[in-house]
Amino acid sequence: MIRRFALGAGLAVALAAPAFAQAGLDLTGNYLVTGQNGGEQGTYAADVAVTLEGDVYHLAWDAQGQKVDGVGLRLGDTLAVTWQDPATREAAVAVYIMMPDGGLKGRWAPIGAKTAGTEEWTRKP
């Protein structure tokens, strides 16, 4: 089940320095995602590829062969993302902030959740 490796993030209440937005950091590329499901022990990992078409980000997650696509919008140093598992129809919302090292940190929650999960994205070389 896609929720077990949790692809997205919920609402993040954080502001990064305005320099990130002004620097125009490019979010496209490949990332290693590590995270924790809301209210659960243990962590998960996945790979995510981010592309940009116009002003809309397209995301493709792969966690040990389980694949899910999502879409995101950027506002300054914040990336808002949503995804839906085509098999289970589970959907989630995520919000990430850009970090100075080119990675992202955020929170996510599937529809119906009471506790948000967390994620960190590390840019792959």
Side-chain angles (χ1 to χ4, degrees), residues 82-118:
T82 188
W83 59 264
Q84 183 174 35
D85 183 323
T88 66
R89 308 289 293 164
E90 180 179 45
V93 62
V95 177
Y96 302 93
I97 57 171
M98 297 165 45
M99 305 308 297
D101 64 1
L104 297 143
K105 287 187 180 184
R107 298 180 69 201
W108 68 274
I111 292 175
K114 294 182 181 178
T115 306
T118 59

Side-chain angles (χ1 to χ4, degrees), residues 27 50-53 55-59 61 70-75 78-83 94 96:
L27 295 179
V50 179
T51 58
L52 182 63
E53 295 181 28
D55 61 353
V56 177
Y57 288 91
H58 295 268
L59 301 94
W61 284 267
V71 64
L73 297 173
R74 179 177 172 183
L75 183 61
T78 302
L79 178 66
V81 174
T82 188
W83 59 264
Y96 302 93

